[in-house]
Amino acid sequence: MLSQRIAQQTLRRMAAQQPASRLLAPTAAIRTSNAIVNQRRWATAQPMEKIDELDARNKILAQQRLNRPVSPHLAIYKPQITWYSSIIHRITGCLLSGGFYVFGALYLIAPAMGWHLESSVLAAGFASWPVVLQFLSKFAVGWTFTFKCFNGMRHLIWDTATMMTNKQVTQSGWFVVGASALSALALCFL
């Protein structure tokens, strides 16, 4: 973005300093001026429509767009594991990175706010939760992390152009779901 702005400003300064006739070759300047004259002739030769007619046409088009059916792209296809794994991969990435950013920001401002986010305080607070809530929270965090890791490895394998048949893609998708669930359960008992 910054390089584009610098380039635009430089070009604008150059155009302001030198007249266009110096920049263009004489034949190019003649061609450009002829094109402008022809464009003006064409524009004045065409009858101008009234603004009311254009507004009426736009209203009709807008009304017709409201009556068009919505594309049934999700309703006509059979759901596949690749859909769900792709969606969940993105969601888990957002959750994990967002959670790390939020915790990091809170950890940085905690001393100024008088909060205690030390490990011992967090461990004591977590230990006071009911066992079911501890298990569910451990499973949720463990599953999002392990799913993201296993599915990321699956994508890295695809980057090598292997396991790309439909059968292999489906099998690897279900493997990722099963492996992430089993590893999340294992992490819950640690």
Side-chain angles (χ1 to χ4, degrees):
M1 280 268 249
L2 183 61
S3 61
Q4 288 176 347
R5 287 184 184 172
I6 292 171
Q8 286 176 351
Q9 289 173 355
T10 305
L11 289 174
R12 286 179 185 153
R13 281 192 213 120
M14 288 174 53
Q17 290 173 356
Q18 297 177 354
S21 61
R22 287 187 197 164
L23 294 175
L24 298 173
T27 56
I30 293 169
R31 282 191 218 129
T32 305
S33 62
N34 287 340
I36 292 171
V37 169
N38 289 336
Q39 185 180 9
R40 286 183 188 155
R41 283 184 196 154
W42 183 81
T44 56
Q46 298 293 325
M48 296 296 290
E49 294 182 358
K50 294 182 180 177
I51 295 175
D52 296 334
E53 292 177 17
L54 289 173
D55 288 341
R57 288 182 184 177
N58 287 338
K59 287 179 184 176
I60 292 170
L61 285 174
Q63 191 63 29
Q64 288 175 349
R65 286 184 187 118
L66 292 175
N67 294 330
R68 290 181 187 161
V70 177
S71 175
H73 65 283
L74 291 178
I76 64 172
Y77 295 112
K78 180 183 172 188
Q80 300 174 5
I81 187 65
T82 53
W83 294 6
Y84 297 119
S85 65
S86 175
I87 293 167
I88 293 171
H89 187 73
R90 294 166 194 224
I91 291 171
T92 55
C94 291
L95 288 174
L96 288 171
S97 61
F100 284 130
Y101 281 127
V102 168
F103 180 76
L106 290 176
Y107 191 78
L108 286 175
I109 65 169
M113 302 297 285
W115 299 337
H116 295 285
L117 290 180
E118 295 88 18
S119 299
S120 60
V121 174
L122 292 176
F126 187 76
S128 66
W129 290 3
V131 174
V132 174
L133 190 59
Q134 287 178 4
F135 181 81
L136 291 176
S137 62
K138 281 182 175 181
F139 183 81
V141 172
W143 187 83
T144 55
F145 186 75
T146 56
F147 183 86
K148 183 76 176 169
C149 289
F150 285 128
N151 206 35
M153 284 189 277
R154 179 178 174 218
H155 280 271
L156 288 175
I157 291 170
W158 286 349
D159 288 342
T160 63
T162 56
M163 296 186 64
M164 294 296 290
T165 65
N166 286 339
K167 184 178 179 183
Q168 290 172 332
V169 167
T170 304
Q171 287 175 344
S172 65
W174 285 112
F175 173 78
V176 166
V177 170
S180 59
L182 288 175
S183 60
L185 281 173
L187 288 174
C188 287
F189 293 110
L190 291 180

